Amino acid sequence: MTDKSSNVSCARWHIVAYQASMASALADLFTLAVQHIDDAVYSAAEKAAWAPQPPDYERWQQRLAGKRPWVAVCQDMPIGFIELDADGHIDCAYVHPDWQRCGVMTALYRGLEVAAAERGVSRLYVEASEVAKPFFARQGFTLLGKNHVKRGEHILVNYLMENYLMEIN
């Protein structure tokens, strides 16, 4: 899968299966994506609580070994990733700030839908951040409720959303 962006020098990217060698780069991508959220949406202190710097690389290595996300890469560098748990939970879905609005997350999500259907998962659900909520709504997710998640001394808001997949024939 490829996409083209005028603000990114690398115009060709594709999706690959997670490899352990990607763990540090994905931890950095996650942190960078969170830190680049507009301060009007999440304050600098909230973002620091959500994605502390530097990342805990050992924790990310262990976490990703179990999650095995799909990763969008450009010239062997991760530019986005998405995870699907066995029960249909989408835990992480992040794109590098330079690659946002370039179709990366849409492609990752479409692949996740196919994999979910192949695994017999009919219901997907996510706790979407303020910035991710519109993306998931565009994919057909419905809002179930608002969550308040404690991270350190801060309470972050996210939204429980779900989507029932149609059968793929």
Side-chain angles (χ1 to χ4, degrees), residues 51-155:
Q53 293 185 47
D56 182 341
Y57 293 110
E58 184 175 322
R59 182 179 81 67
W60 273 96
Q61 181 83 34
Q62 293 170 358
R63 182 184 184 289
L64 292 167
K67 295 284 186 176
R68 313 276 317 148
W70 291 276
V71 182
V73 297
C74 179
Q75 296 180 348
D76 297 324
M77 291 300 301
I79 60 171
F81 69 103
I82 196 167
E83 301 168 346
L84 176 64
D85 294 336
D87 67 352
H89 181 237
I90 300 170
D91 197 357
C92 280
Y94 292 92
V95 173
H96 188 285
D98 291 344
W99 285 89
Q100 292 174 1
R101 302 192 193 298
C102 295
V104 174
M105 186 52 64
T106 299
L108 286 164
Y109 177 75
R110 292 289 173 252
L112 179 141
E113 277 188 332
V114 170
E118 289 171 351
R119 296 176 187 178
V121 174
S122 60
R123 176 186 177 256
L124 300 175
Y125 68 101
V126 65
E127 294 87 12
S129 69
E130 292 277 358
V131 294
K133 181 182 168 194
F135 170 82
F136 286 105
R138 286 191 303 274
Q139 309 315 310
F141 281 72
T142 57
L143 178 63
L144 299 178
K146 187 175 186 177
N147 298 318
H148 296 87
V149 180
K150 186 169 175 123
R151 292 280 188 257
E153 298 177 10
H154 300 278
I155 303 294

Side-chain angles (χ1 to χ4, degrees), residues 7-29:
N7 66 338
V8 181
S9 62
C10 179
R12 298 190 60 77
W13 56 272
H14 59 282
I15 297 173
V16 299
Y18 170 76
Q19 299 293 318
S21 61
M22 299 173 174
S24 293
L26 292 181
D28 289 338
L29 187 154

